[in-house]
Amino acid sequence: MSLSPERLERFARHIVLPEIGGAGQAALVDKHVVVVGLGGIGSPALQYLAGAGIGRLTLVDSDSVDASNLQRQTLFSERDIGHGKAVAARRWVQNFDRSLRVTISDQRIDAGNARELMASADLVLDGTDNFATRLAVSDACVASGVPLLSAAVGRFQGQVAAFAGHLPGQPCYRCFVGDAFDADDCDTCAEDGVLGAMVGWVGTFAAMHAVRVLLDGTNRFGDAQWGKLQLMDGIKPGMRAIAIPKDPGCKGCRAKVS
């Protein structure tokens, strides 16, 4: 897509930012982001990625909308209950900006299909709620040479980090959590409850960090901060960051050790 006069007007507030500018906005138009998980994190993240003018979006979620989702999953309304999340999310994007290219998948991600879904992306944003899926996505990103932005939340705590395990010396998500969660009995995270607004904070921060990753090397805003985990506390509130080291024995990215 080119930046027509109508598109220039739409993204004017981005373009006047020296840290983004016309070059940055044009770069975003050419990017392809895969959003895995369209729940509490994926909903606001997708809304702001679409608002940023990411030209191509692939939306992946095998679940359907439930009434209990509406407390935090801002893409959906009561009319979407019982319908597939991927279909409802595509409808939202098409109503929001008909210029964006959107494809969907309602497959459950596993080690067998993840690589095919991630292969053509510039970035994968993972907001899923179980470790088995997250690890399958991470391994596929490393194998395909695609950066991964991982976001998670529970109760009043959140975390966001960008991983580039395909690059020598950089950790992947598996370096962070290890291998134990591949087991079937660790397939889902505990349901401890979560504040809706906390999920929104994590999702919108993930969208902002996605723009940083996509513009890395393009302008002053671009800074991927590979392997730096942003920890978000909704009780205090506050944030802090820790660095995640590369695990030389990691089965996901050990071939990339330099």
Side-chain angles (χ1 to χ4, degrees):
M1 289 186 295
S2 62
L3 289 175
S4 64
E6 292 78 12
R7 302 301 281 177
L8 287 170
E9 180 180 4
R10 183 167 188 138
F11 301 114
R13 301 304 188 276
H14 269 182
I15 294 169
V16 298
L17 290 169
E19 295 81 2
I20 305 289
Q25 189 61 50
L28 294 177
V29 169
D30 288 332
K31 299 300 184 182
H32 175 202
V33 175
V34 176
V35 181
V36 185
L38 299 167
I41 293 172
S43 286
L46 173 58
Q47 289 173 311
Y48 278 99
L49 291 173
I54 306 301
R56 182 180 172 196
L57 297 160
T58 298
L59 313 179
V60 184
D61 200 307
S62 62
D63 202 3
S64 297
V65 180
D66 183 83
S68 65
N69 300 150
L70 303 183
Q71 167 251 10
R72 65 201 176 281
Q73 299 183 15
T74 53
L75 278 173
F76 311 120
S77 64
E78 290 182 342
R79 73 171 187 170
D80 296 314
I81 293 173
H83 295 275
K85 289 184 179 179
V87 173
R90 178 176 58 185
R91 180 168 57 244
W92 183 92
V93 175
Q94 291 173 334
N95 288 335
F96 178 76
D97 188 345
R98 63 181 180 274
S99 295
L100 304 183
R101 292 170 290 166
V102 185
T103 57
I104 65 171
S105 172
D106 59 3
Q107 301 178 63
R108 181 175 173 82
I109 295 286
D110 57 31
N113 61 18
R115 189 169 179 177
E116 180 182 357
L117 288 167
M118 315 300 156
S120 65
D122 295 294
L123 176 68
V124 173
L125 194 161
D126 185 353
T128 55
D129 63 357
N130 69 85
F131 286 110
T133 300
R134 287 178 173 274
L135 288 167
V137 169
S138 175
D139 291 345
C141 285
V142 173
S144 302
V146 177
L148 170 65
L149 185 65
S150 177
V153 66
R155 294 177 59 82
F156 299 92
Q157 309 297 319
Q159 59 187 39
V160 176
F163 296 97
H166 58 288
L167 298 179
Q170 293 295 340
C172 71
Y173 179 77
R174 190 180 285 275
C175 292
F176 173 41
V177 301
D179 299 331
F181 296 110
D182 281 314
D184 289 341
D185 60 354
C186 292
D187 189 35
T188 57
C189 299
E191 293 293 337
D192 292 331
V194 67
L195 180 68
M198 183 70 208
V199 183
W201 182 20
V202 174
T204 53
F205 185 86
M208 184 173 70
H209 202 49
V211 173
R212 287 184 184 275
V213 173
L214 293 169
L215 295 182
D216 194 23
T218 299
N219 56 29
R220 283 185 286 164
F221 187 68
D223 179 5
Q225 301 181 36
W226 302 125
K228 185 176 290 185
L229 182 69
Q230 306 291 337
L231 297 170
M232 310 164 72
D233 188 333
I235 293 288
K236 291 183 178 179
M239 290 182 64
R240 63 188 179 95
I242 60 174
I244 299 170
K246 188 175 184 73
D247 177 3
C250 175
K251 73 178 186 181
C253 66
R254 61 188 168 203
K256 305 294 184 179
V257 174
S258 59

